[in-house]
Amino acid sequence: MHDPRDAHADGLPISPYDLRRATESAARAAYDWIGRGDRALADDAAVGAMEARLAQLPLNGLLHIGEGPRDEISSLYHGQHFGDPEHAPQWDLVVDPLEGTSYLAKGMTNAMAVVGLAPHGSLIDLHPVRYVEKLAVPPAARGRVDPAAPISERLRQLSRALGKPILDLTIYVIEKPRNKALVEAIHEAGARVALYPAGDVAGALMAVTPGSGIDALMGTGGVPEGMLSAIAIRAMGGDFMARVDPQLATEQQAVEAADIDLTRWYRLEELVRSDKVAFCATGITTGLLLDGVERRGDQELTHTLMIGGPAGHRQMLTSWHKRS
């Protein structure tokens, strides 16, 4: 049986079992801010806790996607180096210490802390893009759904691949104004929509997990969440594709200046060019994929999903922590 604590078995510098300390720390730090209406303080708590833990890991890596550029933030910024600065980075990290910041502040579902790891240089650089349209489907539909096709045709292809009538398909979509036309098209085609205000990483992972009740994820969301999903799905055997879809005027101008093709769909193997990856997510508020942090007396309970290596080993870990 594969031991999640054995990094070398998967060719990784550290195991997902070690990496999860960063997501657990961020989740526990953010817990105090659930439902308190202050997204900034919630995010600050998660960022500080995750950065401190990452700095303690025996990892020579570069933060490929963090909280923002160095000239705007001081912690977990794009390009931040972890490990020995005298040596070139061997690994790239993508982090989201608090996915679903505004919804955690409202006490809502699906908030979690997430970290992804891949060999240095193996992750696509989508700068200056902030938003991408995404499609995630399970292993049985890998390579069998054309993301550029109209929604009705995508659903027909997915129906054939999964052997399910369109009427029985459930598509996970983030509830945002930008996805309104998508939702209408899915309904018009006859499929169900699972609308959630946050959590497209959770939705993408559920989409590639057979028996989860979610058959695909569609819609436009953030690049960090998309890359975290791609890292996990690279190991899980499903399929994930993304198309640049700017939502802000400044982003549109930057994308045009960079001459980025808005019609191109990037394949999973282009987004993440290695299967030597690790992924960890710890729930903060309870959602479809993970239970949230729970306090019982002087103990805290966390629920973490760990994925690692070419074989796509997956484990759910429930941990008890002594409250400090």
Side-chain angles (χ1 to χ4, degrees), residues 28-314:
R28 294 174 63 197
Y31 175 89
D32 282 332
W33 299 100
I34 296 173
R36 298 191 185 277
D38 196 324
R39 53 178 294 170
L41 289 178
D43 195 55
D44 287 347
V47 167
M50 178 173 282
E51 182 182 48
R53 277 295 186 177
L54 288 175
Q56 295 172 5
L57 296 176
L59 174 69
N60 191 22
L62 198 70
L63 198 48
H64 184 73
I65 299 178
E67 290 286 280
R70 187 173 187 176
D71 59 355
E72 295 180 8
I73 60 172
S74 59
S75 299
L76 293 185
Y77 51 83
H78 305 330
Q80 185 170 347
H81 194 117
F82 290 95
D84 187 350
E86 297 299 318
H87 292 83
Q90 295 177 305
W91 301 89
D92 285 339
L93 291 155
V94 179
V95 303
D96 196 341
L98 178 43
E99 196 218 344
T101 308
S102 60
Y103 298 101
L104 175 133
K106 298 175 183 178
M108 298 173 73
T109 187
N110 278 334
M112 59 185 184
V114 197
V115 173
L117 175 77
H120 182 56
S122 66
L123 301 179
I124 193 171
D125 183 1
L126 289 176
H127 180 79
V129 178
R130 294 183 61 182
Y131 290 94
V132 290
E133 182 183 359
K134 308 168 188 179
L135 173 64
V137 296
R142 182 174 174 80
R144 300 179 65 182
V145 179
D146 179 4
I151 300 303
S152 58
E153 179 57 26
R154 288 192 218 175
L155 292 173
R156 279 192 289 270
Q157 294 169 353
L158 182 63
S159 171
R160 288 193 294 268
L162 301 184
K164 295 175 66 172
I166 291 179
L167 291 174
D168 291 340
L169 295 176
T170 299
I171 312 302
Y172 190 108
V173 181
I174 296 298
E175 189 175 14
K176 298 287 186 180
R178 60 179 175 261
N179 290 325
K180 182 180 178 181
L182 168 64
V183 171
E184 292 172 351
I186 295 171
H187 283 156
E188 185 175 342
R192 296 186 179 93
V193 174
L195 272 177
Y196 284 87
D200 57 349
V201 174
L205 269 59
M206 291 187 69
V208 304
T209 303
S212 71
I214 299 296
D215 298 298
L217 171 135
M218 296 183 186
T220 294
V223 167
E225 295 83 0
M227 290 305 299
L228 285 163
S229 299
I231 289 170
I233 293 170
R234 188 73 165 87
M236 294 174 71
D239 208 358
F240 183 87
M241 291 160 278
R243 178 188 67 83
V244 174
D245 189 18
Q247 298 298 304
L248 308 172
T250 53
E251 181 188 11
Q252 180 71 45
Q253 293 169 1
V255 166
E256 290 176 357
D259 197 26
I260 295 174
D261 184 356
L262 300 185
T263 66
R264 178 180 178 182
W265 280 87
Y266 293 92
R267 296 178 295 106
L268 178 60
E269 292 78 11
E270 295 176 289
L271 296 167
V272 184
R273 296 183 295 271
S274 174
D275 56 9
K276 292 182 179 179
V277 297
F279 173 93
C280 286
T282 300
I284 305 174
T285 59
T286 296
L288 290 176
L289 183 67
L290 294 164
D291 292 334
V293 176
E294 182 180 350
R295 283 183 176 170
R296 299 180 185 177
D298 65 347
Q299 298 285 318
E300 283 180 333
L301 182 68
T302 58
H303 194 216
T304 300
L305 169 64
M306 302 180 294
I307 305 171
H313 299 294
R314 276 177 274 172

